[in-house]
């Protein structure tokens, strides 16, 4: 039979300062661990949610990103004429031929230049991305030098605010609207009329990518086969969500590897801290251990009581760390995406999965830190332990 | 001691018990060739100078230490042959401990301290509560059930320890210097309580003490000298 949970809980409470200091050390590690997972989830949320389940994107075969891709007008016509592509009320295919270029803008914070994605789109692009809404101002007028700007760009770059003017490609472009795509990658883009941006960048006949909406998402394989097996096309087709997930992979891997390496190093310190605390607890309660064993509690019960104490202490650290990490949701990170070489803003996202993983991580630290002291407690000779009273 | 008329078997029987300890490379003999019986319901005091082996002998009888050789039967069970786990289970059901410094868990209330041994028995929460309340009443501490050890006097703490020793209704109670940390008045109260347990509840009690006044509360006194039983003395007036 195990010792009551109250025995472990009250012992933690009795030495509350030590408990709090040890749990505090663990909380800092848990904070780093959770923050890394939240950053990765935020990046994933930003890029994966950029894609729409029903949409398919076509880029040049072998091009890892839109910026490296090129699709000629005739090829674009062939793609949108496939029978799987949904058509609008007017019979026109629901497709958006898009041009993606990088422009350099200066940051408001430090005047340093950074790459920003400028996307030339047709008006159907808004129908294909229903998550995008005009947060302020209006949509650009086709045939004009007008732009709408993602909310992350508008706040961070000079000239990108509503009513301001951006100078690039030898011309002035008026910002007439701010778009909000609920934290997706489009918040970090500038959109304008493709037919205006293409000549400005001397790309009259080449689009970067093409997005089409399938009438039935289950026909994706047939659509992909038709496009990729057509000898006239050197194009590869991906579901839009998959495309953006691939875009996040390099940066997500970097964040994960860096974060987990740091966490692993820090966690060794936290585990040693927990171990010292628990060894001290065992040393201070040697007489109690002898008494419990004399009363008939087995070694396993004593071991369990000290392990539970270490786990509870770690759980306190885990909860404090998670609580601190939850405030990171208020922070937005803006950095260059390795895949697109453009500025990308993303936040820290807390998910139920992260909460579970983080608490399990803190419990694992408690288990490792508490195991050896608990084993020492369980291994004590009863007579020797009783003599220490 | 057995009564000698052969009517009832002894509760504790020791035959040629030896015990030694290692101190570095040196082996120090503590008990050598100890043989005697303790009858059921007896109140026996073990006396002797420091280092005579009386606590070691008590530990062997209580099953918290094992002899090097010899046979040790308690209520017919050869406890020297039990495995560690079996011995722990045996102690839980058959022995009550009273220590010099009470050995209560400081983070548990008097009630919870007394309840501890019952956690090792298959009893419901209500049954445990009934048992604990009954023994706390027996030791006169029913109104101190929710007090923590540091809120009780030494005498009261020892009463809680006695209640803990009694709660699982063991036949054998071992007490190692139970009055060694108490003032004269409290010590007398504790010894009288132990006499009551012996007389009214028929508990077999082995008391280790170096205090002759404490030993006088027992039926008989056995003296240990350098690991050997040197004499047995019947106490008159019991």
């Amino acid at each position: 039979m195990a010792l009551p949970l109250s025995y472990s809980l009250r012992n933690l409470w009795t030495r509350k300062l030590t408990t709090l200091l040890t749990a505090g050390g663990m909380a800092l590690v848990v904070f780093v661990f959770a923050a890394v997972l939240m950053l990765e989830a935020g990046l994933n949320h930003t890029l994966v949610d950029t894609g729409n389940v029903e949409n398919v994107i076509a880029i040049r075969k072998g091009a890892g990103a839109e910026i490296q891709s090129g699709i000629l007008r005739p090829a674009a016509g062939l793609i949108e004429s496939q029978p799987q592509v949904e058509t609008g009320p007017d019979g026109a295919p629901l497709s958006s031929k898009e041009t993606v270029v990088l422009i350099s803008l200066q940051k408001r914070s430090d005047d340093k230049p950074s790459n920003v994605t400028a996307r030339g789109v047709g008006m159907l692009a808004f129908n294909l991305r229903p998550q995008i809404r005009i947060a302020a101002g209006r949509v650009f007028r086709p045939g004009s030098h007008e732009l709408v700007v993602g909310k992350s760009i508008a706040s961070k770059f000079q000239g990108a605010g509503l009513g301001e003017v951006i100078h690039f490609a030898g011309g002035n472009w008026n910002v007439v609207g701010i778009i909000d795509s609920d934290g997706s990658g489009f918040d970090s883009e500038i959109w304008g009329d493709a037919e205006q941006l293409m000549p400005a960048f001397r790309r009259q006949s080449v689009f970067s990518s093409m997005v089409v909406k399938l009438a039935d998402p289950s026909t994706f394989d047939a659509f992909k086969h038709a496009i990729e097996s057509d000898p006239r096309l050197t194009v590869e087709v991906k579901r839009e969500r998959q495309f953006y997930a691939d875009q996040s992979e390099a940066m997500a891997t970097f964040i994960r590897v860096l974060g987990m390496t740091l966490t692993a190093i820090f966690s060794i310190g936290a585990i040693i801290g927990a171990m010292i605390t628990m060894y001290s607890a065992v040393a201070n309660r040697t007489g109690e251990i002898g008494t419990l064993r004399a009363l008939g509690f087995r070694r396993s019960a004593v071991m369990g009581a000290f392990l539970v104490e270490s786990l509870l202490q770690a759980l306190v650290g885990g909860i404090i760390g998670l609580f601190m990490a939850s405030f990171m949701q208020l922070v937005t990170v803006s950095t260059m995406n390795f895949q697109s070489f453009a500025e990308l803003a993303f936040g820290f996202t807390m998910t139920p999965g992260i909460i579970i993983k983080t608490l399990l991580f803190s419990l694992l630290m408690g288990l490792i830190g508490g195991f050896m002291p608990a084993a020492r407690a369980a291994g004590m000779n009863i007579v020797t332990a009783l003599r220490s009273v | 001691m057995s009564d000698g008329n052969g009517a009832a078997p002894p509760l504790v029987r020791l035959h040629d018990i030896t015990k030694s300890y290692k101190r570095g490379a040196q082996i120090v003999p503590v008990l050598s060739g100890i043989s005697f019986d303790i009858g059921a319901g007896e109140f026996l005091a073990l006396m002797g100078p420091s280092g005579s082996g009386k606590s070691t002998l008590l530990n062997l009888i209580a099953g918290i230490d094992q002899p090097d050789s010899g046979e040790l039967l308690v209520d017919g069970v050869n406890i020297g042959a039990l495995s560690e786990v079996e011995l722990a289970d045996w102690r839980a059901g058959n022995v009550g401990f009273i220590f010099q410094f009470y050995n209560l868990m400081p983070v548990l209330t008097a009630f919870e301290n007394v309840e501890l041994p019952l956690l090792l028995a298959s009893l419901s929460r209500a049954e445990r509560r009934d048992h604990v309340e009954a023994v706390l009443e027996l030791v006169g501490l029913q109104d101190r059930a929710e007090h923590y050890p540091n809120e009780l006097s030494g005498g009261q703490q020892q009463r809680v320890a006695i209640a803990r020793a009694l709660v699982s209704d063991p036949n054998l109670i071992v007490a190692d210097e139970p009055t060694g940390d108490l003032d004269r008045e409290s010590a007398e109260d504790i010894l009288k309580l132990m006499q009551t347990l012996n007389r009214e509840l028929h508990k077999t009690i082995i008391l280790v003490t170096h205090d002759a006044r404490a030993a006088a509360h027992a039926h008989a006194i056995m003296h240990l000298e350098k690991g050997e039983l040197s004499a047995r003395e019947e106490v008159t007036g019991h």
Side-chain angles (χ1 to χ4, degrees):
Chain A
M1 177 92 183
L3 280 154
L5 185 65
S6 58
Y7 174 72
S8 300
L9 270 172
R10 288 187 205 160
N11 272 305
L12 281 177
W13 182 249
T14 299
R15 52 181 169 87
K16 39 190 171 294
L17 181 64
T18 316
T19 300
L20 206 62
L21 288 174
T22 310
M26 290 179 138
L28 291 174
V29 180
V30 166
F31 170 79
V32 174
F33 180 82
V36 168
L37 293 182
M38 288 167 70
L39 197 59
E40 190 187 347
L43 176 66
N44 200 41
H45 166 77
T46 297
L47 282 175
V48 175
D49 282 7
T50 305
N52 194 301
V53 183
E54 295 162 325
N55 290 350
V56 171
I57 186 166
I59 56 171
R60 182 174 56 77
K61 201 170 275 182
E66 288 173 289
I67 193 90
Q68 300 154 341
S69 168
I71 298 176
L72 294 170
R73 276 183 192 274
L78 275 172
I79 294 167
E80 66 183 357
S81 66
Q82 294 298 315
Q84 294 88 357
V85 176
E86 180 151 44
T87 51
D90 57 352
L94 283 181
S95 70
S96 176
K97 294 176 275 241
E98 301 182 349
T99 295
V100 175
V101 291
L102 296 181
I103 61 172
S104 182
L105 295 180
Q106 285 184 305
K107 288 186 176 175
R108 290 188 196 275
S109 56
D110 55 12
D111 287 343
K112 286 185 179 167
S114 185
N115 286 342
V116 174
T117 300
R119 184 181 294 273
V121 298
M123 298 311 284
L124 277 178
F126 290 93
N127 296 7
L128 289 168
R129 276 76 173 237
Q131 74 270 39
I132 294 177
R133 62 182 185 85
I134 301 293
R138 58 175 173 80
V139 182
F140 58 82
R141 277 193 300 264
S144 70
H145 269 213
E146 290 181 347
L147 301 169
V148 290
V149 173
K151 64 177 180 185
S152 297
I153 299 297
S155 60
K156 290 190 175 67
F157 287 89
Q158 294 176 15
L162 184 63
E164 294 183 307
V165 177
I166 301 176
H167 184 80
F168 64 86
N172 291 325
W173 301 75
N174 298 314
V175 178
V176 298
I178 305 296
I179 54 175
D180 183 349
S181 63
D182 194 23
S184 83
F186 297 128
D187 283 346
S188 298
E189 293 188 355
I190 292 174
W191 283 22
D193 181 0
E195 298 302 336
Q196 295 301 309
L197 281 169
M198 284 172 73
F201 286 103
R202 297 181 180 82
R203 284 183 158 209
Q204 256 86 351
S205 58
V206 184
F207 297 103
S208 301
S209 63
M210 183 162 183
V211 178
V212 299
K213 182 177 181 181
L214 296 181
D216 176 0
S218 67
T219 61
F220 171 75
D221 289 338
F223 177 75
K224 180 179 172 70
H225 181 260
I227 297 295
E228 293 184 354
S229 62
D230 190 325
R232 296 167 294 179
L233 299 171
T234 50
V235 166
E236 67 176 313
V237 168
K238 287 183 179 177
R239 289 187 191 274
E240 199 179 28
R241 271 186 173 255
Q242 184 58 48
F243 173 78
Y244 284 107
D246 293 347
Q247 297 286 294
S248 70
E249 201 173 332
M251 190 179 268
T253 304
F254 173 74
I255 291 169
R256 193 166 49 240
V257 170
L258 182 67
M260 289 303 133
T261 306
L262 285 174
T263 306
I265 294 167
F266 293 163
S267 67
I268 292 170
I271 287 169
I272 291 172
M275 207 177 274
I276 291 168
T277 302
M278 290 310 298
Y279 268 129
S280 162
V282 170
N284 288 332
R285 295 194 345 243
T286 303
E288 281 183 37
I289 294 163
T291 306
L292 290 168
R293 298 271 291 112
L295 293 179
F297 285 95
R298 296 179 183 176
R299 290 186 191 278
S300 55
V302 172
M303 179 143 185
F306 279 91
L307 269 183
V308 164
E309 206 168 306
S310 182
L311 289 171
L312 287 171
Q313 181 175 257
L315 190 62
V316 172
I319 291 168
I320 295 172
L322 266 177
F323 178 72
M324 292 192 301
S326 67
F327 289 100
M328 293 304 290
Q329 292 178 106
L330 304 173
V331 177
T332 301
V333 174
S334 184
T335 188
M336 191 183 77
N337 184 2
F338 306 147
Q339 211 83 13
S340 64
F341 304 106
E343 192 78 9
L344 180 71
F346 54 98
F348 292 78
T349 306
M350 183 76 88
T351 66
I354 289 174
I355 293 172
I356 292 167
K357 275 185 199 170
T358 305
L359 291 179
L360 286 176
F361 170 67
S362 61
L363 288 175
L364 181 67
M365 285 198 290
L367 185 68
I368 296 171
F371 184 80
M372 290 206 315
R376 173 182 279 190
M380 279 182 182
N381 175 278
I382 302 174
V383 175
T384 312
L386 284 172
R387 275 199 199 117
S388 76
V389 176
Chain B
M1 279 305 220
S2 57
D3 53 13
N5 61 14
L11 183 73
V12 181
R13 168 162 281 174
L14 295 95
H15 178 68
D16 203 18
I17 294 292
T18 62
K19 179 71 183 176
S20 56
Y21 287 117
K22 274 186 179 174
R23 191 175 293 154
Q26 200 182 0
I27 293 177
V28 182
V30 182
L31 299 173
S32 53
I34 300 286
S35 298
F36 69 97
D37 293 348
I38 303 170
E42 202 171 351
F43 187 168
L44 176 75
L46 280 173
M47 290 193 75
S50 294
S52 60
K54 54 188 189 302
S55 289
T56 300
L57 184 57
L58 191 74
N59 290 342
L60 294 178
I61 295 169
I64 58 174
D65 205 355
Q66 295 277 50
D68 296 338
S69 65
E71 192 177 51
L72 205 172
L73 298 172
V74 180
D75 212 4
V77 178
N78 182 3
I79 62 169
L82 297 179
S83 70
E84 189 181 276
V85 169
E86 287 169 337
L87 202 53
D89 294 346
W90 176 83
R91 283 195 303 272
N94 293 281
V95 188
F97 289 86
I98 306 171
F99 302 97
Q100 180 177 358
F101 298 107
Y102 334 125
N103 290 31
L104 300 176
M105 304 296 132
V107 297
L108 302 182
T109 63
F111 183 98
E112 290 165 334
N113 266 290
V114 175
E115 190 186 22
L116 270 178
L118 295 182
L119 298 175
L120 298 162
S122 307
L123 295 175
S124 68
R125 183 186 285 259
E127 286 170 324
R128 291 203 303 268
R129 190 187 58 234
D130 291 346
H131 280 71
V132 173
E133 285 173 355
V135 290
L136 279 174
E137 191 174 347
L138 188 71
V139 300
L141 285 177
Q142 62 272 35
D143 57 339
R144 295 283 190 274
E146 296 310 315
H147 288 236
Y148 287 90
N150 64 0
E151 297 166 345
L152 300 172
S153 69
Q156 287 172 327
Q157 288 188 58
Q158 196 60 297
R159 283 171 179 271
V160 173
I162 291 171
R164 182 179 65 186
L166 273 180
V167 74
S168 54
D169 197 23
N171 288 328
L172 179 64
I173 292 176
V174 295
D176 194 351
E177 304 277 12
T179 56
D181 196 45
L182 299 176
D183 59 65
R184 192 66 250 161
E185 195 180 338
S186 301
E188 191 58 32
D189 287 347
I190 293 298
L191 290 163
K192 280 183 179 161
L193 179 58
M194 290 173 71
Q195 277 185 323
T196 307
L197 302 181
N198 172 251
R199 281 184 193 145
E200 295 179 13
L201 301 178
H202 312 294
K203 300 295 176 192
T204 305
I205 298 176
I206 307 173
L207 166 71
V208 162
T209 182
H210 61 267
D211 179 356
R213 278 184 295 187
H217 289 74
H219 295 158
I221 301 170
M222 293 185 75
H223 291 272
L224 266 171
E225 195 92 35
K226 293 180 181 170
E228 292 180 11
L229 276 177
S230 58
R232 172 188 164 84
E233 179 188 329
E234 299 297 329
V235 178
T236 54
H238 290 291

